[in-house]
Amino acid sequence: MIDLSTEYLGLKLDNPLVPSSSPLTGELDSAKKLEDAGASALVLPSLFEETIEHEQKQLDRFVYSQALGHSEAQSYQPIPEDYSSELDNNLERIQKFKSALDIPVIASLNGISTNGWIDSGKKLQQAGADALELNAYYIAADPDTTGEEVENRYLQLLSDLQKHVTIPVTMKLSPQFSSLANMVLKLQQAGAHGVSLFNRFYQPDIDLETLHIKPHIELSSSMESLVRIRWIALIRGRVDLSIAATGGLHRTEDIVKALLVGADITHLCSVLLKNGPEYIAILKQELHDWLEQREYTSVTQMKGSVSKSCAINPAALEHSNYMDVIKSYGQ
Amino acid sequence: METPRTLTIDGNQAAAEIAHLTNEVIAIYPITPASPMGEWADEWSSRKRANLWGTVPRIIEMQSEGGAAGTIHGALQTGALTTTFTASQGLLLMIPNMFKIAGELSPTVFHVAARSIAAQALSIFGDHSDVMAARTTGFAFLASNCPQEVMDMALIAQAATLESRIPIVHFFDGFRTSHEVAKIHSIETDVVRKIINNENITAHRQRALSPEHPVIRGTSQNPDVYFQARETVNSYYQAMPGIVQKVMDQFAALTGRNYRVFDYIGADDAEKVIVLMGSGAETAEETVDFLNTQGEKAGLIKVRLFRPFDAEALINALPSTTQSIAVLDRTKEPGADGEPLYKDVVTALAQQSIANQSSAKQNRFRQLPTIIGGRYGLSSKEFTPAMVKSVLDELGKAQPKNHFTVGILDDVTHSSLDWDENFRTDVHNNTFQAVFYGLGSDGTVSANKNSIKIIGESTDKYAQGYFVYDSKKSGAVTVSHLRFGDKSIHSSYLIGNGDADFVACHQPVFLERYPMLDKAANNAVFLLNTPLSPENVWQRLPKNMQQQVIDKHIRVYCIDAYNIAAISGMDKRINTIMQTCFFSISGVLPGDVAINAIKDAVEKTYGRKGKRLVELNFKAIDETLANLHEVIIPQISDATFDLTEPVPDNAPDFVRNVTGAIIAGRGDQIPVSLFPADGTYPVGTAAYEKRNIALEIPVLDENLCTQCGKCPLVCPHGVIRCKVFDESLLSSAPQAFKSMAVKGKDFAQGLSMSYQVAPEDCTGCGLCADICPIHDKTNASHKALNMVPYTPGLRQQEKENWAYFLNLPEYDRTAVKTGTIKGAMILQPLFEFSGACEGCGETPYIKLASQLFGDRMVVANATGCSSIYGGNLPTTPWTKNSEGRGPAWSNSLFEDNAEFGLGMRLAIDKQREYAGELLQQLQPDIGDGLVELILGADESTETGIQQQRSRIQALRDKLKHMDSPAARELVSVAENLARKSVWIIGGDGWAYDIGYGGLDHVLASGMDVNILVLDTEVYSNTGGQTSKATPRGAVAKFSAGGKASPKKDLALLAMDYEHVYVARVAYGAKDTQTIRAFHEAEAYPGPALIIAYSPCIAHGIDLKDNHLHQQLAVDSGHWPLFRYNPQQAASGKNPLHLDSKQPSIPYREFIETEIRFNMLWRTHPQEAEKLLKQSQQDVLHRYLHYEKLASLEWDKTGDIEPSHRKPTKATTPSKEQPS
């Protein structure tokens, strides 16, 4: 019997297959299906700072617009006595999932400002989250903002939050750091229990009819896994924290590669949206088969076995390899 | 006796509290000013608030008040405790059922916010005309005079109706009492339980119709028995006053508040007595009490139970010393020799006197008192202590005037009494009075309501708030009147000149418009919101205002509220800022206490979920305190300017003397003689009222403009115009005037085109710039039309441009291709500068119709938003062209608009037919050629119409020289020989609900009318109540829990007739289809129905995104576009043509953008998801259904009768009674 178990953020997991934030992890029905199919933990849909801000603005406008009437219509909408906010929904979901599922539930916070996060983080912990994934992103659009300032924002956010929550915190990062490895090290020093590499964002697109800028996102493809694999390979062994590979892991081979370079877990999203939650069982079986066929006894055994420190040709990870790539393309 | 908690609420809420607590079934329908009662009931039931017996009352909205009354009748007959709320026309629609309900001795209470009846004009304000119109129904009538009494009498009525079996109209004055916020004592449920006798409820249930113990009720009776049977109820009516008094006594024992069916107040030895009911009695009490301290011997009877009229109780209530009585009625019965209450009082005293004579019984009075009657307070006309005094003074005269009026100047029949404007009682010596001038959109009213609550709830002080609005929806001016005092406040009139301890001006622009400091008392505080620094404020005050500041020793404070709002992240919201100023400088509460109270209120409003909003508000409060400055007042006034005139000097007399006076807020002073006797007013008056409410206005970049015409099309206020003119005229143009050589082969060489804005009429909604499709190729954010800050310099420049533009000639209508947007927009709009909401979704359609057909339009307009922005004085946006032609407009009622329009069509057609007959009769004299040309005219084009007008003019010229009776007859009807276009316009409340029966009949009639339904999917005018046009899943008033049923498909119902032209349009999604539909509808010789999607503020959207919401509605399938033209069928083609594609975005994407839908996700998430799923299915199913209909093979044989059929016998009403 092959031992697929792994450890992530101090949590003992049955296997390294962890569905990441997606509509599938938002509904109890599909979450149960994921668990039944073999998911070892799951990350809840992100609580977006932007959503909360938008919600508050809407509330503000709603309350205010009640006063914009005239003598016949002093308001236009009934004012509800109570209503549930996005945060309420998230907390309720955690409680519901925790009582219905056996696997760990990781909450996800998405945003960048420290304001309000501490409060939300505390509440997510109280509601029963096993860990927090901080999907921090900051578009440094201002030319006066230095890279160091951006990095400090992340570190500050993390250490502020660490003071108020006791559950493990992992940072989901973008690849856009001048020195990513150094950034991960700094995060570890600031108390992060793990990093998740890398997040994917909506990209602004242009509507050619109206010339308006609109957000756009597409499901990932396998190709995108390679940048994750490279960076995990580079940092595994140089830092001491949990590493999750996320983005573009579609095939069993992608998952195997991520584990070989040192990921503790592999996050799955697009592949499950395409094939349904049950597909996780197939991936799990294929992972098992791959290990079995090559006579590995456990995931722990293979984890990091092709990271930079253990790779046969580690230099290849650091080269830009431009010429090789072009050549292989020509063949 | 317990000490009950206090509530700071208005009269409507006070009534609703008791009604909801003591009933099981509540049938509702919106009508101002009663709607909030239904809204409260609906909200409470949707939150599962239970009644006295632990069950949640069932609320049902009906299609009209007539429907509500029928429902109530049914619910009563089957044993439920049932109630309703209504007013005015609504009560009138209930009258038929009220006779039945009373005739069957069914206990119920109708709570009525009494309001004027539409006569020479509609009015939403308070008087007793509605109640008096219902007084013969057999209902009892119980009056409340203030919010406290509303709560008390609501309960007394409920108990008394159950005991007596006589249904009761419980009424209180619309707006004055229904909307007055006051601190009152609550009635604890324990008291309610003690007063409501459960045995009476059991008896009511036992009388219910039931198959378990069947009876029949509602029989038909013949001459032999009807009369006797009608007299059976007498003993119940005789017992009723006693029962009411008994309940009142019981109530007094439990609460300490004493009432009598006729309450006497005043001197025991009074010689003069006033008799009245309603809020005026509060003012009368205050005045009588004061005058008695001055040596007057006066008294007052407050009539509480008006029907059944207990004459004996009235006489016993009057002091025996009474020598003269003035009875005041808040209603008018034209042609009667006195109003109802007056006649009842006269009859009571006369009957008693006669009875005593015959029985030789001692008279209560030394001699029969003199009794005079008068009218006051119609449509919430002010009724002040000075007027009460003038009535008492009249009673002191040797020959007092009977049938007088008080409160107006009647210089025609001289009915009015004079009064002394300066008379005051002494109650205000210990009352703090404050007046606030604000805009409906700046939150002044809500801030003031909040202040009243703060003071009412956190101190022992009593509070009163009353809010006066002007008739506009965009930029509505509001004046708030607040009073605070240590004693209960009964002054049911506005704060008068020289009385206000605090005056606030929340909008800088008001300085030049309103003489606000007239209100200020000596040593008052004046608060001004202004961008000016404290040193510069003084020089910007008008001269008269400066003098008042000096003379009255007024302290002036200023704040730049908009700036503070901006720096605190509050956008343009100044309500909290101005409220903070008020508490900080008015001295009504100690400073710290007040500021803490505001902060508490903010936290209560936004709660734990709006933490950031709380922080923003707190920041704004702190910034306000740091930036509020006192202005140093010099010794002398040195301003060189004064208030601006409301309308220009060159305006017609009527506009200056009447319209202008109303605009300036001096309408109360206009004498009777200046008004038209039949309610007829001139058109084109909105153009005189320059409101200057925009913060930004559009500015054209003529180098980019492609002359597409979209900007004038979408402008809701008709402020952006297009003209084509000879370029030689440009020689006299102002330097900054913008024009372009007109493009396109439809126009001759040498013509110029201009798109020009009327800057002072623009509301700054920005829709014109939003729709502009042309971007600068090097800078996408710069368009051909851009919103630019409305600076004084720009105002002056564009004023000059606009004046020049107005003087340019209109382009020849016959030369325009009106089927294109560019062409149609060259036509002059005959609907301009309406006071509709900024960005209104309705008005572009009306304006378009006025452009295309205005010079031959007759409009029947249903009551609703369009009748308010269309015809609420002072001004009307309907106007005429340089030839004097334009839409003739009228509003009948809410429920009968289709029939009203049909009547117009019938008259025009009949007179056209008659004119034709006369023409033929006079043919020898007129000449063959002209008669034949007129009768055979083709008026399907602009050219044809113009030619026919010329022929009719030629005919008139000939008729001038003919002196036969037929010729004279023909002169009076000749205008009907030219085509007239009848338009029936209204909202969805009218078309889908209250007016649907009539609409259906008019559609069936086959008559040539054009029906424009402005579908906002709610009752917009009354505040967003649910109609049958409201979509599934939307939250609206009366659907606080989200509407569960789908939107009615009015278009499909109409198409089913097969002879009705039907179009569904949304100009923001497909403007060419809209224009095409308008043309086809008007050209169609039978009934045409255009259902127009109209985004509304009630959707919970920002109307600057109006077009986006229309597009989403169409793309999601919520609003499929199509035209159904029966004329196509005649030529063998399928009449239905779909103009929008299959739903291309998920329904979720549409509804996520509108609060009316997404609020349900916050309150009832599971229900919201369920309804969304159903709605998604609805739209897909409906589109497929339309698609199938549109693709049906149409019969091409031609030898069977085409489906476009004229009405058959079946649609002709039968002369028989319905069987």
Side-chain angles (χ1 to χ4, degrees), chain B residues 710-1012:
Chain B
K710 283 178 188 282
C711 50
L713 176 80
V714 303
C715 176
H717 305 279
V719 302
I720 186 158
R721 300 282 178 87
C722 177
K723 273 187 183 174
V724 170
F725 50 92
D726 198 288
E727 66 184 18
S728 63
L729 294 169
L730 283 170
S731 58
S732 56
Q735 216 166 18
F737 186 74
K738 290 176 177 174
S739 67
M740 312 159 267
V742 64
K743 293 175 185 163
K745 56 184 181 338
D746 297 338
F747 298 91
Q749 291 285 311
L751 291 176
S752 280
M753 176 183 260
S754 174
Y755 289 105
Q756 174 62 46
V757 174
E760 298 186 297
D761 303 294
C762 180
T763 66
C765 73
L767 288 176
C768 51
D770 177 68
I771 202 77
C772 179
I774 307 303
H775 299 265
D776 184 337
K777 294 285 185 290
T778 62
N779 174 3
S781 69
H782 180 72
K783 289 180 156 192
L785 201 62
N786 301 284
M787 296 305 287
V788 170
Y790 187 44
T791 58
L794 184 61
R795 173 174 166 182
Q796 192 49 40
Q797 172 192 307
E798 290 307 306
K799 257 177 83 170
E800 284 166 23
N801 288 340
W802 174 248
Y804 168 76
F805 179 89
L806 277 183
N807 281 326
L808 289 171
E810 291 293 334
Y811 192 61
D812 178 5
R813 288 178 71 92
T814 64
V816 177
K817 276 199 174 165
T818 59
T820 65
I821 293 173
K822 179 176 181 173
M825 290 307 117
I826 296 169
L827 304 175
Q828 183 187 3
L830 298 174
F831 180 87
E832 59 183 13
F833 318 140
S834 79
C837 295
E838 293 161 38
C840 173
E842 296 186 352
T843 45
Y845 296 109
I846 298 179
K847 184 188 52 162
L848 174 64
S850 84
Q851 286 173 290
L852 298 175
F853 322 114
D855 61 357
R856 55 182 185 271
M857 238 176 146
V858 187
V859 182
N861 207 129
T863 308
C865 279
S866 53
S867 73
I868 299 302
Y869 58 63
N872 199 332
L873 292 190
T875 60
T876 177
W878 295 97
T879 190
K880 56 189 176 187
N881 64 20
S882 56
E883 296 166 336
R885 289 196 174 86
W889 181 94
S890 186
N891 159 240
S892 171
L893 296 171
F894 193 14
E895 59 269 24
D896 70 343
N897 192 47
E899 302 93 310
F900 185 48
L902 182 75
M904 294 173 170
R905 179 80 268 167
L906 290 172
I908 292 164
D909 287 354
K910 180 63 231 171
Q911 295 198 346
R912 185 184 178 110
E913 183 185 326
Y914 180 45
E917 289 161 4
L918 290 168
L919 262 184
Q920 278 168 334
Q921 200 180 320
L922 293 167
Q923 190 161 350
D925 303 321
I926 296 167
D928 281 2
L930 187 56
V931 171
E932 272 167 22
L933 281 172
I934 289 176
L935 293 178
D938 171 10
E939 292 181 271
S940 61
T941 61
E942 281 290 332
T943 308
I945 289 164
Q946 304 274 15
Q947 285 169 345
Q948 182 77 338
R949 285 181 187 150
S950 307
R951 291 182 203 112
I952 293 168
Q953 190 48 51
L955 171 67
R956 287 182 186 282
D957 292 341
K958 288 199 176 197
L959 290 171
K960 266 186 212 157
H961 308 291
M962 293 164 57
D963 192 27
S964 68
R968 284 196 296 275
E969 281 284 281
L970 185 52
V971 169
S972 69
V973 292
E975 67 165 69
N976 292 295
L977 290 164
R979 182 164 159 217
K980 285 182 183 168
S981 188
V982 174
W983 284 78
I984 297 172
I985 299 176
D988 49 283
W990 157 69
Y992 286 67
D993 288 356
I994 195 169
Y996 180 65
L999 178 79
D1000 176 63
H1001 199 82
V1002 170
L1003 292 178
S1005 75
M1007 298 294 292
D1008 183 11
V1009 293
N1010 307 294
I1011 302 165
L1012 174 59

Side-chain angles (χ1 to χ4, degrees), chain B residues 21-22 24 51-54 81 158-159 162-163 189-190 192-207 250:
Chain B
L21 187 64
T22 57
E24 296 165 319
N51 66 12
L52 197 58
W53 301 277
L81 296 169
Q158 190 67 36
L162 285 165
E163 176 93 19
T189 43
D190 199 38
V192 181
R193 229 179 277 282
K194 283 178 184 153
I195 286 200
I196 303 280
N197 184 343
N198 267 322
E199 284 173 22
N200 292 331
I201 296 172
T202 308
H204 171 58
R205 290 189 181 136
Q206 280 169 349
R207 291 189 294 267
Q250 224 181 327

Side-chain angles (χ1 to χ4, degrees), chain B residues 61-83:
Chain B
E61 183 191 6
M62 295 306 299
Q63 88 287 8
S64 70
E65 290 90 349
T71 303
I72 291 158
H73 186 194
L76 290 170
Q77 284 303 311
T78 28
L81 296 169
T82 312
T83 189

Side-chain angles (χ1 to χ4, degrees), chain A residues 49 51-53 55-86 88-89 113 115-117 119 123 209-212, chain B residues 32 43 47 124 175 179 440-443 446 449 469 472-473 573 575 605-606 608-613 775 868 1020-1024 1035-1037 1040 1097-1098 1100-1102 1155-1156 1158-1159 1161-1163:
Chain A
E49 184 176 3
T51 308
I52 293 182
E53 269 189 356
E55 189 177 78
Q56 297 217 345
K57 275 187 187 153
Q58 230 180 16
L59 167 67
D60 186 31
R61 191 156 69 79
F62 175 72
V63 170
Y64 185 77
S65 71
Q66 291 304 309
L68 304 188
H70 48 87
S71 51
E72 294 203 64
Q74 301 197 340
S75 67
Y76 288 100
Q77 290 268 325
I79 299 180
E81 196 171 42
D82 197 16
Y83 65 94
S84 53
S85 67
E86 198 57 33
D88 292 337
N89 295 343
S113 83
N115 247 352
W117 284 123
D119 191 43
K123 284 183 175 152
E209 277 303 308
T210 64
L211 301 185
H212 283 175
Chain B
T32 307
E43 274 186 48
R47 291 178 202 164
I124 57 169
F175 282 107
H179 283 59
S441 53
D442 69 13
S446 64
K449 284 185 177 171
Y469 296 76
K472 299 292 188 294
K473 288 167 193 274
R573 293 162 200 193
N575 49 349
T605 305
Y606 296 107
R608 65 184 176 86
K609 284 157 196 163
K611 201 174 162 215
R612 287 167 201 214
L613 300 175
H775 299 265
I868 299 302
S1020 299
N1021 189 50
T1022 47
V1035 173
K1037 303 266 189 74
I1097 187 149
I1101 59 173
D1102 194 333
I1155 287 178
R1156 60 173 168 156
N1158 63 34
M1159 189 48 89
W1161 270 309
R1162 304 263 165 259
T1163 56

Side-chain angles (χ1 to χ4, degrees), chain A residues 22-156:
Chain A
S22 85
L24 289 175
T25 62
E27 296 292 328
L28 187 57
D29 268 4
S30 47
K32 270 200 95 63
K33 281 183 192 157
L34 290 168
E35 183 179 38
D36 292 347
S40 63
L42 52 81
V43 183
L44 295 175
S46 273
L47 177 59
F48 283 86
E49 184 176 3
E50 281 178 351
T51 308
I52 293 182
E53 269 189 356
H54 175 72
E55 189 177 78
Q56 297 217 345
K57 275 187 187 153
Q58 230 180 16
L59 167 67
D60 186 31
R61 191 156 69 79
F62 175 72
V63 170
Y64 185 77
S65 71
Q66 291 304 309
L68 304 188
H70 48 87
S71 51
E72 294 203 64
Q74 301 197 340
S75 67
Y76 288 100
Q77 290 268 325
I79 299 180
E81 196 171 42
D82 197 16
Y83 65 94
S84 53
S85 67
E86 198 57 33
L87 180 61
D88 292 337
N89 295 343
N90 270 267
L91 299 177
E92 207 176 294
R93 179 157 53 204
I94 293 174
Q95 284 167 351
K96 208 161 66 178
F97 278 32
K98 281 305 291 178
S99 63
L101 303 177
D102 294 326
I103 54 175
V105 171
I106 301 166
S108 166
L109 279 170
N110 193 318
I112 187 60
S113 83
T114 50
N115 247 352
W117 284 123
I118 292 164
D119 191 43
S120 302
K122 273 177 6 193
K123 284 183 175 152
L124 291 169
Q125 172 173 324
Q126 278 163 14
D130 294 295
L132 264 184
E133 180 188 273
L134 217 51
N135 191 352
Y137 74 97
Y138 175 74
I139 305 294
D142 180 354
D144 292 335
T145 305
T146 64
E148 194 182 357
E149 282 167 7
V150 175
E151 290 184 356
N152 285 337
R153 283 182 85 112
Y154 282 67
L155 296 167
Q156 189 63 47

